[in-house]
mmCIF file of all heavy atoms in Angstrom:
data_model
loop_
_atom_site.group_PDB
_atom_site.id
_atom_site.type_symbol
_atom_site.label_atom_id
_atom_site.label_comp_id
_atom_site.label_asym_id
_atom_site.label_seq_id
_atom_site.Cartn_x
_atom_site.Cartn_y
_atom_site.Cartn_z
ATOM 1 N N ASN E 52 -11.577 -2.891 10.699
ATOM 2 C CA ASN E 52 -11.433 -4.181 10.030
ATOM 3 C C ASN E 52 -9.946 -4.473 9.947
ATOM 4 O O ASN E 52 -9.329 -4.347 8.898
ATOM 5 C CB ASN E 52 -12.077 -4.160 8.646
ATOM 6 C CG ASN E 52 -12.080 -5.516 7.991
ATOM 7 O OD1 ASN E 52 -11.795 -6.523 8.646
ATOM 8 N ND2 ASN E 52 -12.374 -5.561 6.705
ATOM 9 N N ARG E 53 -9.371 -4.837 11.083
ATOM 10 C CA ARG E 53 -7.947 -5.146 11.116
ATOM 11 C C ARG E 53 -7.606 -5.962 12.358
ATOM 12 O O ARG E 53 -8.386 -6.015 13.299
ATOM 13 C CB ARG E 53 -7.102 -3.879 11.058
ATOM 14 C CG ARG E 53 -7.347 -2.902 12.180
ATOM 15 C CD ARG E 53 -6.621 -1.612 11.940
ATOM 16 N NE ARG E 53 -5.483 -1.544 12.830
ATOM 17 C CZ ARG E 53 -5.004 -0.427 13.302
ATOM 18 N NH1 ARG E 53 -5.525 0.720 12.949
ATOM 19 N NH2 ARG E 53 -3.987 -0.421 14.120
ATOM 20 N N LEU E 54 -6.470 -6.589 12.329
ATOM 21 C CA LEU E 54 -5.956 -7.371 13.449
ATOM 22 C C LEU E 54 -6.957 -8.411 13.962
ATOM 23 O O LEU E 54 -7.068 -8.660 15.148
ATOM 24 C CB LEU E 54 -5.529 -6.443 14.596
ATOM 25 C CG LEU E 54 -4.459 -5.411 14.250
ATOM 26 C CD1 LEU E 54 -4.208 -4.489 15.428
ATOM 27 C CD2 LEU E 54 -3.176 -6.084 13.809
ATOM 28 N N GLY E 55 -7.704 -9.019 13.028
ATOM 29 C CA GLY E 55 -8.622 -10.081 13.412
ATOM 30 C C GLY E 55 -9.926 -9.599 14.016
ATOM 31 O O GLY E 55 -10.672 -10.387 14.600
ATOM 32 N N ILE E 56 -10.204 -8.317 13.891
ATOM 33 C CA ILE E 56 -11.448 -7.746 14.417
ATOM 34 C C ILE E 56 -12.193 -7.046 13.291
ATOM 35 O O ILE E 56 -11.605 -6.288 12.529
ATOM 36 C CB ILE E 56 -11.163 -6.702 15.529
ATOM 37 C CG1 ILE E 56 -10.444 -7.329 16.720
ATOM 38 C CG2 ILE E 56 -12.442 -5.988 15.968
ATOM 39 C CD1 ILE E 56 -11.287 -8.251 17.567
ATOM 40 N N VAL E 57 -13.486 -7.303 13.202
ATOM 41 C CA VAL E 57 -14.344 -6.506 12.331
ATOM 42 C C VAL E 57 -15.387 -5.890 13.256
ATOM 43 O O VAL E 57 -15.976 -6.573 14.096
ATOM 44 C CB VAL E 57 -14.977 -7.315 11.174
ATOM 45 C CG1 VAL E 57 -15.912 -8.383 11.675
ATOM 46 C CG2 VAL E 57 -15.691 -6.389 10.212
ATOM 47 N N SER E 58 -15.547 -4.580 13.135
ATOM 48 C CA SER E 58 -16.448 -3.857 14.009
ATOM 49 C C SER E 58 -17.197 -2.805 13.199
ATOM 50 O O SER E 58 -16.601 -2.089 12.400
ATOM 51 C CB SER E 58 -15.632 -3.200 15.127
ATOM 52 O OG SER E 58 -16.466 -2.598 16.081
ATOM 53 N N PHE E 59 -18.507 -2.734 13.406
ATOM 54 C CA PHE E 59 -19.312 -1.752 12.695
ATOM 55 C C PHE E 59 -20.549 -1.430 13.515
ATOM 56 O O PHE E 59 -20.886 -2.125 14.474
ATOM 57 C CB PHE E 59 -19.696 -2.244 11.294
ATOM 58 C CG PHE E 59 -20.464 -3.526 11.271
ATOM 59 C CD1 PHE E 59 -21.842 -3.524 11.250
ATOM 60 C CD2 PHE E 59 -19.796 -4.745 11.259
ATOM 61 C CE1 PHE E 59 -22.549 -4.710 11.229
ATOM 62 C CE2 PHE E 59 -20.494 -5.937 11.240
ATOM 63 C CZ PHE E 59 -21.879 -5.916 11.223
ATOM 64 N N THR E 60 -21.215 -0.339 13.133
ATOM 65 C CA THR E 60 -22.456 0.040 13.804
ATOM 66 C C THR E 60 -23.615 -0.032 12.816
ATOM 67 O O THR E 60 -23.426 0.100 11.615
ATOM 68 C CB THR E 60 -22.392 1.457 14.400
ATOM 69 O OG1 THR E 60 -22.064 2.388 13.371
ATOM 70 C CG2 THR E 60 -21.374 1.530 15.536
ATOM 71 N N GLU E 61 -24.782 -0.219 13.371
ATOM 72 C CA GLU E 61 -26.025 -0.271 12.618
ATOM 73 C C GLU E 61 -26.954 0.761 13.264
ATOM 74 O O GLU E 61 -27.370 0.594 14.413
ATOM 75 C CB GLU E 61 -26.609 -1.675 12.747
ATOM 76 C CG GLU E 61 -27.980 -1.856 12.163
ATOM 77 C CD GLU E 61 -28.536 -3.218 12.549
ATOM 78 O OE1 GLU E 61 -28.186 -4.195 11.868
ATOM 79 O OE2 GLU E 61 -29.294 -3.290 13.533
ATOM 80 N N ALA E 62 -27.234 1.847 12.565
ATOM 81 C CA ALA E 62 -28.132 2.884 13.080
ATOM 82 C C ALA E 62 -29.522 2.626 12.533
ATOM 83 O O ALA E 62 -29.734 2.604 11.324
ATOM 84 C CB ALA E 62 -27.639 4.260 12.678
ATOM 85 N N ARG E 63 -30.460 2.416 13.420
ATOM 86 C CA ARG E 63 -31.852 2.135 13.047
ATOM 87 C C ARG E 63 -32.698 3.374 13.337
ATOM 88 O O ARG E 63 -32.747 3.833 14.480
ATOM 89 C CB ARG E 63 -32.403 0.978 13.870
ATOM 90 C CG ARG E 63 -31.585 -0.287 13.774
ATOM 91 C CD ARG E 63 -32.071 -1.292 14.791
ATOM 92 N NE ARG E 63 -31.249 -2.488 14.775
ATOM 93 C CZ ARG E 63 -31.320 -3.439 15.692
ATOM 94 N NH1 ARG E 63 -32.166 -3.325 16.691
ATOM 95 N NH2 ARG E 63 -30.540 -4.493 15.607
ATOM 96 N N TYR E 64 -33.326 3.896 12.317
ATOM 97 C CA TYR E 64 -34.196 5.060 12.480
ATOM 98 C C TYR E 64 -35.621 4.644 12.200
ATOM 99 O O TYR E 64 -35.903 4.036 11.162
ATOM 100 C CB TYR E 64 -33.782 6.184 11.524
ATOM 101 C CG TYR E 64 -34.656 7.417 11.632
ATOM 102 C CD1 TYR E 64 -34.493 8.305 12.686
ATOM 103 C CD2 TYR E 64 -35.639 7.668 10.695
ATOM 104 C CE1 TYR E 64 -35.303 9.430 12.804
ATOM 105 C CE2 TYR E 64 -36.453 8.792 10.800
ATOM 106 C CZ TYR E 64 -36.277 9.664 11.855
ATOM 107 O OH TYR E 64 -37.079 10.765 11.961
ATOM 108 N N ARG E 65 -36.537 4.929 13.143
ATOM 109 C CA ARG E 65 -37.962 4.597 12.992
ATOM 110 C C ARG E 65 -38.772 5.880 13.079
ATOM 111 O O ARG E 65 -38.535 6.707 13.954
ATOM 112 C CB ARG E 65 -38.418 3.647 14.097
ATOM 113 C CG ARG E 65 -37.868 2.254 13.949
ATOM 114 C CD ARG E 65 -38.242 1.386 15.141
ATOM 115 N NE ARG E 65 -39.652 1.355 15.428
ATOM 116 C CZ ARG E 65 -40.475 0.341 15.164
ATOM 117 N NH1 ARG E 65 -39.993 -0.743 14.590
ATOM 118 N NH2 ARG E 65 -41.743 0.387 15.472
ATOM 119 N N TYR E 66 -39.731 5.992 12.180
ATOM 120 C CA TYR E 66 -40.583 7.172 12.148
ATOM 121 C C TYR E 66 -42.030 6.749 11.943
ATOM 122 O O TYR E 66 -42.338 6.022 10.994
ATOM 123 C CB TYR E 66 -40.151 8.118 11.016
ATOM 124 C CG TYR E 66 -41.042 9.322 10.867
ATOM 125 C CD1 TYR E 66 -40.927 10.405 11.733
ATOM 126 C CD2 TYR E 66 -42.019 9.361 9.886
ATOM 127 C CE1 TYR E 66 -41.754 11.505 11.616
ATOM 128 C CE2 TYR E 66 -42.854 10.462 9.749
ATOM 129 C CZ TYR E 66 -42.723 11.533 10.623
ATOM 130 O OH TYR E 66 -43.548 12.615 10.500
ATOM 131 N N ALA E 67 -42.903 7.192 12.842
ATOM 132 C CA ALA E 67 -44.331 6.927 12.700
ATOM 133 C C ALA E 67 -44.956 8.096 11.954
ATOM 134 O O ALA E 67 -44.642 9.259 12.236
ATOM 135 C CB ALA E 67 -44.977 6.765 14.071
ATOM 136 N N ALA E 68 -45.821 7.787 11.005
ATOM 137 C CA ALA E 68 -46.471 8.843 10.220
ATOM 138 C C ALA E 68 -47.103 9.876 11.139
ATOM 139 O O ALA E 68 -47.727 9.539 12.141
ATOM 140 C CB ALA E 68 -47.533 8.220 9.317
ATOM 141 N N HIS E 69 -46.878 11.135 10.813
ATOM 142 C CA HIS E 69 -47.427 12.288 11.531
ATOM 143 C C HIS E 69 -46.797 12.516 12.906
ATOM 144 O O HIS E 69 -47.272 13.367 13.652
ATOM 145 C CB HIS E 69 -48.964 12.200 11.652
ATOM 146 C CG HIS E 69 -49.638 11.908 10.357
ATOM 147 N ND1 HIS E 69 -49.620 12.784 9.289
ATOM 148 C CD2 HIS E 69 -50.314 10.810 9.938
ATOM 149 C CE1 HIS E 69 -50.272 12.247 8.281
ATOM 150 N NE2 HIS E 69 -50.706 11.049 8.639
ATOM 151 N N ALA E 70 -45.771 11.793 13.254
ATOM 152 C CA ALA E 70 -45.091 12.025 14.535
ATOM 153 C C ALA E 70 -44.179 13.237 14.402
ATOM 154 O O ALA E 70 -43.721 13.576 13.311
ATOM 155 C CB ALA E 70 -44.274 10.805 14.931
ATOM 156 N N ALA E 71 -43.910 13.891 15.517
ATOM 157 C CA ALA E 71 -43.031 15.055 15.491
ATOM 158 C C ALA E 71 -41.591 14.645 15.211
ATOM 159 O O ALA E 71 -40.871 15.336 14.496
ATOM 160 C CB ALA E 71 -43.107 15.789 16.817
ATOM 161 N N ASN E 72 -41.175 13.523 15.766
ATOM 162 C CA ASN E 72 -39.793 13.060 15.610
ATOM 163 C C ASN E 72 -39.757 11.548 15.469
ATOM 164 O O ASN E 72 -40.618 10.856 15.997
ATOM 165 C CB ASN E 72 -38.947 13.413 16.850
ATOM 166 C CG ASN E 72 -38.844 14.877 17.098
ATOM 167 O OD1 ASN E 72 -38.376 15.610 16.252
ATOM 168 N ND2 ASN E 72 -39.301 15.320 18.263
ATOM 169 N N GLY E 73 -38.709 11.082 14.825
ATOM 170 C CA GLY E 73 -38.439 9.656 14.798
ATOM 171 C C GLY E 73 -37.494 9.321 15.940
ATOM 172 O O GLY E 73 -37.079 10.195 16.704
ATOM 173 N N THR E 74 -37.154 8.064 16.049
ATOM 174 C CA THR E 74 -36.189 7.642 17.063
ATOM 175 C C THR E 74 -35.062 6.872 16.393
ATOM 176 O O THR E 74 -35.257 6.212 15.378
ATOM 177 C CB THR E 74 -36.835 6.739 18.131
ATOM 178 O OG1 THR E 74 -37.401 5.595 17.492
ATOM 179 C CG2 THR E 74 -37.912 7.470 18.907
ATOM 180 N N THR E 75 -33.904 6.998 16.980
ATOM 181 C CA THR E 75 -32.734 6.289 16.481
ATOM 182 C C THR E 75 -32.208 5.375 17.575
ATOM 183 O O THR E 75 -32.188 5.744 18.752
ATOM 184 C CB THR E 75 -31.626 7.280 16.067
ATOM 185 O OG1 THR E 75 -32.142 8.141 15.054
ATOM 186 C CG2 THR E 75 -30.401 6.552 15.532
ATOM 187 N N TYR E 76 -31.802 4.186 17.169
ATOM 188 C CA TYR E 76 -31.157 3.228 18.067
ATOM 189 C C TYR E 76 -29.919 2.738 17.341
ATOM 190 O O TYR E 76 -29.978 2.420 16.158
ATOM 191 C CB TYR E 76 -32.091 2.051 18.365
ATOM 192 C CG TYR E 76 -31.468 1.003 19.259
ATOM 193 C CD1 TYR E 76 -31.509 1.138 20.635
ATOM 194 C CD2 TYR E 76 -30.817 -0.104 18.726
ATOM 195 C CE1 TYR E 76 -30.921 0.190 21.462
ATOM 196 C CE2 TYR E 76 -30.229 -1.057 19.536
ATOM 197 C CZ TYR E 76 -30.289 -0.904 20.908
ATOM 198 O OH TYR E 76 -29.697 -1.833 21.718
ATOM 199 N N VAL E 77 -28.795 2.700 18.036
ATOM 200 C CA VAL E 77 -27.561 2.219 17.422
ATOM 201 C C VAL E 77 -27.176 0.888 18.041
ATOM 202 O O VAL E 77 -27.041 0.769 19.261
ATOM 203 C CB VAL E 77 -26.411 3.244 17.565
ATOM 204 C CG1 VAL E 77 -25.108 2.664 17.027
ATOM 205 C CG2 VAL E 77 -26.759 4.532 16.834
ATOM 206 N N LYS E 78 -27.021 -0.097 17.195
ATOM 207 C CA LYS E 78 -26.542 -1.428 17.580
ATOM 208 C C LYS E 78 -25.101 -1.516 17.129
ATOM 209 O O LYS E 78 -24.770 -1.139 16.003
ATOM 210 C CB LYS E 78 -27.399 -2.490 16.880
ATOM 211 C CG LYS E 78 -26.900 -3.897 16.997
ATOM 212 C CD LYS E 78 -27.451 -4.569 18.208
ATOM 213 C CE LYS E 78 -27.021 -6.029 18.223
ATOM 214 N NZ LYS E 78 -26.590 -6.439 19.535
ATOM 215 N N ALA E 79 -24.234 -1.965 17.998
ATOM 216 C CA ALA E 79 -22.815 -2.086 17.654
ATOM 217 C C ALA E 79 -22.437 -3.561 17.566
ATOM 218 O O ALA E 79 -22.921 -4.389 18.333
ATOM 219 C CB ALA E 79 -21.958 -1.388 18.703
ATOM 220 N N TYR E 80 -21.587 -3.854 16.617
ATOM 221 C CA TYR E 80 -21.099 -5.215 16.405
ATOM 222 C C TYR E 80 -19.578 -5.217 16.458
ATOM 223 O O TYR E 80 -18.934 -4.328 15.905
ATOM 224 C CB TYR E 80 -21.513 -5.740 15.027
ATOM 225 C CG TYR E 80 -22.993 -5.925 14.843
ATOM 226 C CD1 TYR E 80 -23.784 -4.901 14.358
ATOM 227 C CD2 TYR E 80 -23.584 -7.147 15.130
ATOM 228 C CE1 TYR E 80 -25.140 -5.085 14.167
ATOM 229 C CE2 TYR E 80 -24.954 -7.337 14.945
ATOM 230 C CZ TYR E 80 -25.713 -6.301 14.467
ATOM 231 O OH TYR E 80 -27.051 -6.483 14.278
ATOM 232 N N MET E 81 -19.036 -6.239 17.102
ATOM 233 C CA MET E 81 -17.589 -6.425 17.129
ATOM 234 C C MET E 81 -17.344 -7.938 17.136
ATOM 235 O O MET E 81 -17.776 -8.629 18.060
ATOM 236 C CB MET E 81 -16.986 -5.766 18.371
ATOM 237 C CG MET E 81 -15.484 -5.780 18.397
ATOM 238 S SD MET E 81 -14.751 -4.685 19.654
ATOM 239 C CE MET E 81 -15.610 -5.133 21.131
ATOM 240 N N PHE E 82 -16.688 -8.426 16.089
ATOM 241 C CA PHE E 82 -16.472 -9.862 15.931
ATOM 242 C C PHE E 82 -14.992 -10.200 15.816
ATOM 243 O O PHE E 82 -14.212 -9.451 15.220
ATOM 244 C CB PHE E 82 -17.137 -10.366 14.642
ATOM 245 C CG PHE E 82 -18.622 -10.314 14.646
ATOM 246 C CD1 PHE E 82 -19.289 -9.272 14.036
ATOM 247 C CD2 PHE E 82 -19.369 -11.327 15.233
ATOM 248 C CE1 PHE E 82 -20.669 -9.218 14.011
ATOM 249 C CE2 PHE E 82 -20.753 -11.289 15.215
ATOM 250 C CZ PHE E 82 -21.403 -10.232 14.613
ATOM 251 N N ASN E 83 -14.635 -11.366 16.332
ATOM 252 C CA ASN E 83 -13.331 -11.969 16.104
ATOM 253 C C ASN E 83 -13.439 -12.667 14.750
ATOM 254 O O ASN E 83 -14.270 -13.558 14.577
ATOM 255 C CB ASN E 83 -13.032 -12.972 17.221
ATOM 256 C CG ASN E 83 -11.725 -13.696 17.041
ATOM 257 O OD1 ASN E 83 -11.344 -14.062 15.931
ATOM 258 N ND2 ASN E 83 -11.044 -13.920 18.137
ATOM 259 N N THR E 84 -12.628 -12.261 13.775
ATOM 260 C CA THR E 84 -12.751 -12.819 12.421
ATOM 261 C C THR E 84 -12.179 -14.230 12.299
ATOM 262 O O THR E 84 -12.402 -14.897 11.294
ATOM 263 C CB THR E 84 -12.081 -11.915 11.374
ATOM 264 O OG1 THR E 84 -10.699 -11.783 11.685
ATOM 265 C CG2 THR E 84 -12.742 -10.547 11.332
ATOM 266 N N LEU E 85 -11.466 -14.682 13.315
ATOM 267 C CA LEU E 85 -10.929 -16.043 13.283
ATOM 268 C C LEU E 85 -11.936 -17.058 13.800
ATOM 269 O O LEU E 85 -11.973 -18.198 13.349
ATOM 270 C CB LEU E 85 -9.636 -16.129 14.085
ATOM 271 C CG LEU E 85 -8.503 -15.209 13.614
ATOM 272 C CD1 LEU E 85 -7.308 -15.312 14.550
ATOM 273 C CD2 LEU E 85 -8.105 -15.540 12.182
ATOM 274 N N THR E 86 -12.763 -16.632 14.775
ATOM 275 C CA THR E 86 -13.714 -17.554 15.394
ATOM 276 C C THR E 86 -15.164 -17.247 15.045
ATOM 277 O O THR E 86 -16.019 -18.117 15.196
ATOM 278 C CB THR E 86 -13.592 -17.513 16.925
ATOM 279 O OG1 THR E 86 -13.994 -16.208 17.388
ATOM 280 C CG2 THR E 86 -12.171 -17.836 17.382
ATOM 281 N N GLY E 87 -15.448 -16.011 14.657
ATOM 282 C CA GLY E 87 -16.825 -15.602 14.396
ATOM 283 C C GLY E 87 -17.571 -15.199 15.652
ATOM 284 O O GLY E 87 -18.738 -14.838 15.593
ATOM 285 N N GLN E 88 -16.897 -15.270 16.791
ATOM 286 C CA GLN E 88 -17.544 -14.913 18.059
ATOM 287 C C GLN E 88 -17.722 -13.409 18.180
ATOM 288 O O GLN E 88 -16.825 -12.645 17.836
ATOM 289 C CB GLN E 88 -16.725 -15.417 19.254
ATOM 290 C CG GLN E 88 -16.654 -16.908 19.360
ATOM 291 C CD GLN E 88 -18.009 -17.529 19.672
ATOM 292 O OE1 GLN E 88 -18.903 -16.902 20.235
ATOM 293 N NE2 GLN E 88 -18.179 -18.771 19.284
ATOM 294 N N GLN E 89 -18.895 -13.007 18.699
ATOM 295 C CA GLN E 89 -19.145 -11.590 18.941
ATOM 296 C C GLN E 89 -18.551 -11.223 20.290
ATOM 297 O O GLN E 89 -18.767 -11.910 21.288
ATOM 298 C CB GLN E 89 -20.646 -11.302 18.911
ATOM 299 C CG GLN E 89 -20.954 -9.829 18.922
ATOM 300 C CD GLN E 89 -22.403 -9.528 18.580
ATOM 301 O OE1 GLN E 89 -23.215 -10.425 18.444
ATOM 302 N NE2 GLN E 89 -22.713 -8.265 18.440
ATOM 303 N N ALA E 90 -17.781 -10.139 20.310
ATOM 304 C CA ALA E 90 -17.160 -9.673 21.538
ATOM 305 C C ALA E 90 -18.151 -8.847 22.346
ATOM 306 O O ALA E 90 -18.984 -8.140 21.786
ATOM 307 C CB ALA E 90 -15.919 -8.846 21.225
ATOM 308 N N THR E 91 -18.045 -8.935 23.655
ATOM 309 C CA THR E 91 -18.921 -8.199 24.559
ATOM 310 C C THR E 91 -18.083 -7.275 25.430
ATOM 311 O O THR E 91 -16.846 -7.358 25.448
ATOM 312 C CB THR E 91 -19.685 -9.167 25.477
ATOM 313 O OG1 THR E 91 -18.731 -9.823 26.328
ATOM 314 C CG2 THR E 91 -20.478 -10.200 24.675
ATOM 315 N N LEU E 92 -18.766 -6.436 26.191
ATOM 316 C CA LEU E 92 -18.063 -5.561 27.117
ATOM 317 C C LEU E 92 -17.319 -6.388 28.170
ATOM 318 O O LEU E 92 -16.224 -6.021 28.591
ATOM 319 C CB LEU E 92 -19.031 -4.589 27.786
ATOM 320 C CG LEU E 92 -18.402 -3.511 28.644
ATOM 321 C CD1 LEU E 92 -17.385 -2.693 27.857
ATOM 322 C CD2 LEU E 92 -19.458 -2.597 29.221
ATOM 323 N N ALA E 93 -17.869 -7.522 28.554
ATOM 324 C CA ALA E 93 -17.189 -8.406 29.512
ATOM 325 C C ALA E 93 -15.860 -8.887 28.933
ATOM 326 O O ALA E 93 -14.857 -8.986 29.654
ATOM 327 C CB ALA E 93 -18.081 -9.589 29.872
ATOM 328 N N ASP E 94 -15.817 -9.156 27.626
ATOM 329 C CA ASP E 94 -14.569 -9.552 26.972
ATOM 330 C C ASP E 94 -13.554 -8.417 27.027
ATOM 331 O O ASP E 94 -12.371 -8.636 27.278
ATOM 332 C CB ASP E 94 -14.814 -9.939 25.509
ATOM 333 C CG ASP E 94 -15.722 -11.134 25.352
ATOM 334 O OD1 ASP E 94 -15.681 -12.036 26.216
ATOM 335 O OD2 ASP E 94 -16.481 -11.165 24.365
ATOM 336 N N VAL E 95 -14.023 -7.200 26.770
ATOM 337 C CA VAL E 95 -13.142 -6.027 26.815
ATOM 338 C C VAL E 95 -12.587 -5.860 28.222
ATOM 339 O O VAL E 95 -11.392 -5.627 28.419
ATOM 340 C CB VAL E 95 -13.899 -4.752 26.369
ATOM 341 C CG1 VAL E 95 -13.055 -3.502 26.606
ATOM 342 C CG2 VAL E 95 -14.299 -4.857 24.905
ATOM 343 N N GLN E 96 -13.443 -6.004 29.227
ATOM 344 C CA GLN E 96 -13.001 -5.859 30.612
ATOM 345 C C GLN E 96 -11.986 -6.942 30.983
ATOM 346 O O GLN E 96 -11.013 -6.658 31.690
ATOM 347 C CB GLN E 96 -14.196 -5.889 31.557
ATOM 348 C CG GLN E 96 -15.049 -4.644 31.434
ATOM 349 C CD GLN E 96 -16.350 -4.751 32.213
ATOM 350 O OE1 GLN E 96 -17.044 -5.767 32.159
ATOM 351 N NE2 GLN E 96 -16.683 -3.692 32.928
ATOM 352 N N ALA E 97 -12.186 -8.157 30.498
ATOM 353 C CA ALA E 97 -11.240 -9.241 30.787
ATOM 354 C C ALA E 97 -9.881 -8.950 30.159
ATOM 355 O O ALA E 97 -8.837 -9.148 30.797
ATOM 356 C CB ALA E 97 -11.791 -10.576 30.279
#
Side-chain angles (χ1 to χ4, degrees):
N52 186 12
R53 59 188 254 211
L54 301 175
I56 299 289
V57 64
S58 186
F59 58 94
T60 56
E61 173 189 277
R63 304 171 183 169
Y64 179 77
R65 289 175 54 105
Y66 176 78
H69 310 295
N72 298 301
T74 58
T75 301
Y76 178 85
V77 175
K78 171 89 175 136
Y80 294 90
M81 186 167 51
F82 293 99
N83 177 321
T84 60
L85 301 176
T86 66
Q88 294 293 336
Q89 190 167 6
T91 65
L92 187 56
D94 297 327
V95 172
Q96 290 171 315

